[in-house]
Amino acid sequence: GAVVSQHPSWVICKSGTSVKIECRSLDFQATTMFWYRQFPKQSLMLMATSNEGSKATYEQGVEKDKFLINHASLTLSTLTVTSAHPEDSSFYICSAVELKETQYFGPGTRLLVL
Amino acid sequence: SQQGEEDPQALSIQEGENATMNCSYKTSINNLQWYRQNSGRGLVHLILIRSNEREKHSGRLRVTLDTSKKSSSLLITASRAADTASYFCATDARGSNYKLTFGKGTLLTVNP
């Protein structure tokens, strides 16, 4: 099946720093990728839709200047959490759409902001 | 707003028993997908059922879809301890451009 990777798998950073998370589709091209956030024991919340070659579309309530998304190629999307604060600590998961239906998810990145 | 709502929220069974999880949604959909998530891990795609399909099988999984009731069920037969995980339904609403809306999930525990 289609494989999506994320890097890093976990990161600890100090408050005020920026953190970049990469999402790659390894064996297929993805014109559309999605970024989700998941708090402990809760469901996934869609943050934004990342489209190759165009600006990301953010869900209501998600700050675009806080969560910068760049879809540089058909296999890579990056999420940068700028000036991270402890409340940004969460599990961030990306997905990539293959064959216009099925979304394949990355293994997630756990972010802890001290 | 959350569209998919699973029930039960938690289910505990013995190995070998069947597990049934239900999902309800609110809007018209293109398809409905079921995913599994082990604790602290990413999501694993289990099965996709399109809006014009009523039932689908994959190994020990059986998914049904009733668009008139806006509901779906996931049946895992002959459960194993390794099936212990959270299970989420996700709907791809019409006109949503493949965006998925996830339910709150069912935590399944299969006791050996």
Side-chain angles (χ1 to χ4, degrees):
Chain A
V3 179
V4 175
S5 70
Q6 273 183 250
H7 177 79
S9 56
W10 60 271
V11 59
I12 301 173
C13 68
K14 292 182 179 180
S15 187
T17 60
S18 294
V19 175
K20 181 185 280 188
I21 303 170
E22 292 186 350
C23 176
R24 293 181 185 273
S25 56
L26 297 185
D27 49 3
F28 66 100
Q29 293 184 329
T31 54
T32 302
M33 292 183 173
F34 297 93
W35 286 96
Y36 297 83
R37 185 173 181 176
Q38 186 180 32
F39 290 106
K41 297 186 179 180
Q42 293 190 24
S43 188
L44 279 74
M45 182 191 77
L46 179 65
M47 298 175 66
T49 303
S50 173
N51 299 299
E52 189 268 338
S54 63
K55 290 183 178 180
T57 304
Y58 291 82
E59 294 300 300
Q60 193 172 11
V62 178
E63 300 175 58
K64 62 180 182 180
D65 295 329
K66 174 75 172 176
F67 300 99
L68 299 179
I69 291 172
N70 182 28
H71 199 140
S73 73
L74 287 172
T75 59
L76 173 64
S77 175
T78 60
L79 168 68
T80 302
V81 183
T82 62
S83 187
H85 291 284
E87 58 265 30
D88 298 324
S89 298
S90 189
F91 192 52
Y92 292 87
I93 308 177
C94 72
S95 71
V97 178
E98 194 225 16
L99 297 178
K100 295 188 177 181
E101 282 188 322
T102 303
Q103 282 191 34
Y104 291 94
F105 285 78
T109 297
R110 191 162 301 282
L111 171 64
L112 176 61
V113 184
L114 302 176
Chain B
S1 61
Q2 287 289 343
Q3 167 149 260
E5 295 281 342
E6 291 94 336
D7 78 89
Q9 292 187 2
L11 179 62
S12 182
I13 60 174
Q14 294 299 121
E15 215 167 19
E17 294 180 340
N18 296 341
T20 300
M21 288 159 270
N22 302 297
C23 167
S24 62
Y25 58 92
K26 295 177 183 174
T27 64
S28 295
I29 61 172
N30 293 316
N31 62 64
L32 184 146
Q33 303 180 42
W34 285 92
Y35 289 86
R36 184 185 77 211
Q37 184 180 36
N38 288 84
S39 181
R41 303 290 188 95
L43 274 72
V44 174
H45 183 262
L46 296 177
I47 201 163
L48 178 152
I49 186 165
R50 296 185 181 86
S51 61
N52 61 352
E53 297 176 314
R54 291 297 166 258
E55 188 171 311
K56 213 162 182 181
H57 297 255
S58 177
R60 294 185 293 113
L61 306 180
R62 173 177 169 255
V63 168
T64 63
L65 179 65
D66 187 335
T67 52
S68 65
K69 294 181 180 177
K70 291 187 168 59
S71 67
S72 173
S73 68
L74 170 67
L75 168 67
I76 303 174
T77 61
S79 64
R80 305 166 183 167
D83 294 329
T84 295
S86 290
Y87 292 81
F88 294 92
C89 71
T91 51
D92 175 358
R94 288 191 195 281
S96 70
N97 246 4
Y98 315 118
K99 289 198 298 187
L100 293 180
T101 302
F102 281 82
K104 295 179 180 177
T106 294
L107 175 58
L108 173 66
T109 302
V110 181
N111 301 300

Coordinates of all heavy atoms in Angstrom, one line a residue, chain A residues 2-3 8 11-12 17 38-39 41 43 46 56 62 72 76 83 90 92 113:
Chain A
A2 N 0.2 2.4 -0.2 CA 0.9 3.7 -0.2 C 1.5 4.0 1.2 O 0.9 3.7 2.2 CB -0.1 4.8 -0.6
V3 N 2.6 4.6 1.1 CA 3.3 4.9 2.4 C 3.6 6.4 2.5 O 4.0 7.0 1.6 CB 4.7 4.2 2.4 CG1 5.4 4.5 3.7 CG2 4.5 2.6 2.4
P8 N 10.3 15.1 12.1 CA 10.7 14.0 13.0 C 9.5 13.2 13.6 O 8.4 13.7 13.4 CB 11.5 14.7 14.1 CG 10.8 16.0 14.1 CD 10.4 16.4 12.7
V11 N 9.6 15.6 18.8 CA 10.5 16.8 19.0 C 10.1 17.5 20.3 O 8.9 17.7 20.6 CB 10.4 17.7 17.8 CG1 9.0 18.2 17.5 CG2 11.3 18.9 17.9
I12 N 11.1 17.9 21.0 CA 11.0 18.7 22.2 C 11.7 20.0 22.0 O 12.8 20.1 21.5 CB 11.6 18.0 23.4 CG1 11.0 16.7 23.7 CG2 11.5 18.9 24.7 CD1 11.6 15.9 24.8
T17 N 10.5 29.0 20.0 CA 11.3 28.5 18.9 C 10.3 28.0 17.8 O 9.1 27.8 18.1 CB 12.2 27.4 19.2 OG1 11.5 26.3 19.8 CG2 13.3 27.8 20.2
Q38 N -4.0 16.2 16.9 CA -4.8 15.3 17.8 C -4.3 15.4 19.2 O -3.1 15.2 19.5 CB -4.6 13.8 17.4 CG -5.4 12.8 18.2 CD -5.2 11.4 17.7 OE1 -4.1 11.0 17.3 NE2 -6.3 10.6 17.8
F39 N -5.2 15.7 20.1 CA -4.9 15.8 21.5 C -5.2 14.4 22.2 O -5.9 13.6 21.6 CB -5.8 16.9 22.2 CG -5.4 18.3 21.8 CD1 -6.2 19.0 21.0 CD2 -4.2 18.9 22.3 CE1 -5.8 20.3 20.6 CE2 -3.8 20.1 21.9 CZ -4.6 20.8 21.0
K41 N -6.3 11.2 23.7 CA -7.6 10.5 23.8 C -8.7 11.3 23.1 O -9.9 11.1 23.4 CB -8.0 10.3 25.3 CG -7.0 9.4 26.0 CD -7.5 9.1 27.4 CE -6.5 8.2 28.1 NZ -6.8 7.8 29.5
S43 N -10.2 12.8 19.0 CA -10.1 12.5 17.6 C -9.2 13.5 16.9 O -8.6 14.4 17.5 CB -11.5 12.6 17.1 OG -11.6 12.1 15.7
L46 N -8.9 18.4 11.7 CA -8.3 18.9 10.5 C -7.8 20.4 10.7 O -8.6 21.2 11.1 CB -9.2 18.9 9.3 CG -8.7 19.4 8.0 CD1 -7.5 18.5 7.5 CD2 -9.8 19.4 6.9
A56 N -2.0 27.1 1.1 CA -2.8 26.1 1.9 C -4.1 26.7 2.2 O -4.3 27.9 2.3 CB -2.0 25.7 3.1
V62 N -7.9 28.1 12.8 CA -6.5 27.8 12.8 C -5.7 29.0 12.2 O -6.0 29.5 11.1 CB -6.2 26.5 11.8 CG1 -4.8 26.2 11.7 CG2 -7.0 25.3 12.4
A72 N 5.9 21.9 -1.3 CA 7.0 22.3 -2.3 C 7.0 21.4 -3.5 O 7.4 21.8 -4.6 CB 8.3 22.2 -1.6
L76 N 6.1 16.2 -1.1 CA 6.6 16.8 0.2 C 5.7 18.0 0.6 O 5.5 18.9 -0.2 CB 8.0 17.3 0.1 CG 8.6 18.1 1.3 CD1 8.6 17.2 2.5 CD2 10.0 18.6 0.9
S83 N 7.1 30.2 16.6 CA 7.0 30.7 18.0 C 6.1 29.8 18.8 O 5.1 30.2 19.4 CB 6.5 32.1 18.0 OG 6.5 32.7 19.3
S90 N 1.2 18.8 21.0 CA 0.2 17.9 20.5 C 0.8 16.9 19.6 O 2.0 16.8 19.4 CB -0.8 18.8 19.7 OG -2.0 18.0 19.3
Y92 N 0.8 15.7 15.8 CA 0.5 16.3 14.5 C 0.6 15.2 13.4 O 1.7 14.5 13.4 CB 1.4 17.4 14.1 CG 1.2 18.7 15.0 CD1 1.9 18.8 16.2 CD2 0.3 19.6 14.6 CE1 1.7 19.9 17.0 CE2 0.1 20.8 15.4 CZ 0.8 20.9 16.6 OH 0.5 21.9 17.4
V113 N 6.4 21.3 23.8 CA 7.0 22.6 23.9 C 7.1 22.9 25.4 O 6.1 22.9 26.1 CB 6.1 23.7 23.2 CG1 6.8 25.0 23.3 CG2 5.8 23.3 21.8

